[in-house]
Amino acid sequence: MRRVEREVRTAAEYGADYNLFHYPFVPIFPLETKQIYSNMPKPGERYDADQIDAAQLREISLRLFDTLCNLQHRCGQRIILEHDFWGEHEELLTTMFREHPEIGLVVDTSRLDISARAFHNVEPMRWLEVVAPYVYLVHYSNVRYETDRFIHHLPVLPEQDDDDGFGNAYAYLAYLAQRNERFHVTFEHKANLIDRNRLLELYARTERLFKPSLKESDPV
């Protein structure tokens, strides 16, 4: 928390829009998994289910959110938290944001899809339904799956929508856009994976999620 406070004070000094941290940190894996990809966090980079229980995580979370709310107020600097792998603690994670509306939630579409592929207990649409009111920002990119690993930070393109080899990033953003009109979108794909014309198409397609009256032929 001392390091967090230094970062927040620096951000406030320079007029940053927000500070972003991950929660839970480090990520938590559940007891049972469907598939572990080779480039997911390794032991030593994560908690396994038997290393942190609900009571511990709740105590840590309450202390964290209370401290961040106080720090945000004192420094006049927005603080937001990006979900990581939450193990079997989905309800606690949701409760923290519901009880601390000053702290915005960041949804990462790639990480959410990886969670659903890897873990039995993650149902993306059900979770998005619950957390939609607390979302401040979406990190928008897609993921492609190979036999034992994934490639992430891909641009979200129409041809991926019905391809099981890709994640469902567009569907997640569309679902959220119907339930929350106030969040921001960061295009988190690697810039070298898309040319200018396709990038403009991506921007326009994304904008139409928030302005349904726009047609494909309309300028943006």
Side-chain angles (χ1 to χ4, degrees), residues 140-200:
Y140 190 43
S141 67
N142 216 351
V143 56
R144 185 179 78 246
Y145 295 94
E146 298 183 349
T147 303
D148 69 339
R149 67 193 308 271
F150 54 81
I151 311 299
H152 59 134
H153 291 155
L154 305 180
V156 185
L157 303 175
E159 58 265 29
Q160 300 164 359
D161 291 353
D162 299 316
D163 188 333
D164 289 340
F166 287 87
N168 293 316
Y170 180 78
Y172 301 150
L173 189 66
Y175 196 79
L176 270 177
Q178 295 173 358
R179 290 157 176 79
N180 179 344
E181 298 177 349
R182 301 180 304 278
F183 65 86
H184 305 263
V185 176
T186 293
F187 295 88
E188 205 180 31
H189 59 258
K190 294 176 182 175
N192 64 328
L193 297 180
I194 188 169
D195 64 30
R196 177 177 173 78
N197 288 337
R198 294 231 70 187
L199 182 63
L200 293 176

Side-chain angles (χ1 to χ4, degrees), residues 99-118:
E99 294 182 353
H100 301 83
E102 307 95 318
I103 305 296
L105 169 63
V106 184
V107 170
D108 184 293
T109 55
S110 284
R111 187 176 294 108
L112 181 58
D113 199 82
I114 294 164
S115 299
R117 297 258 186 155

Side-chain angles (χ1 to χ4, degrees), residues 37-107:
Y37 297 98
S38 61
N39 51 336
M40 293 183 77
K42 308 290 190 296
E45 301 173 345
R46 71 187 194 225
Y47 288 118
D48 288 319
D50 60 355
Q51 292 179 290
I52 184 165
D53 62 30
Q56 287 176 301
L57 185 60
R58 178 172 178 78
E59 178 186 350
I60 293 168
S61 298
L62 286 170
R63 196 162 69 240
L64 171 69
F65 275 75
D66 288 345
T67 302
L68 292 181
C69 286
N70 181 268
L71 185 59
Q72 184 172 242
H73 177 72
R74 284 192 287 116
C75 295
Q77 174 62 44
R78 182 183 297 278
I79 300 171
I80 58 179
L81 295 178
E82 179 175 347
H83 71 90
D84 216 308
F85 301 124
W86 57 71
E88 274 127 357
H89 305 286
E90 177 183 315
E91 183 176 350
L92 174 61
L93 182 143
T94 303
T95 298
M96 288 297 104
F97 286 98
R98 183 171 60 246
E99 294 182 353
H100 301 83
E102 307 95 318
I103 305 296
L105 169 63
V106 184
V107 170

Side-chain angles (χ1 to χ4, degrees), residues 1-23 68 71-72 75-82 97 102-106 136-137 139:
M1 292 309 305
R2 284 193 296 270
R3 181 174 177 182
V4 166
E5 182 166 353
R6 288 198 302 270
E7 297 289 349
V8 170
R9 290 188 180 279
T10 300
E13 180 181 350
Y14 287 95
D17 288 340
Y18 54 78
N19 280 81
L20 184 154
F21 304 99
H22 274 215
Y23 166 74
L68 292 181
L71 185 59
Q72 184 172 242
C75 295
Q77 174 62 44
R78 182 183 297 278
I79 300 171
I80 58 179
L81 295 178
E82 179 175 347
F97 286 98
E102 307 95 318
I103 305 296
L105 169 63
V106 184
Y136 177 82
L137 174 66
H139 280 177

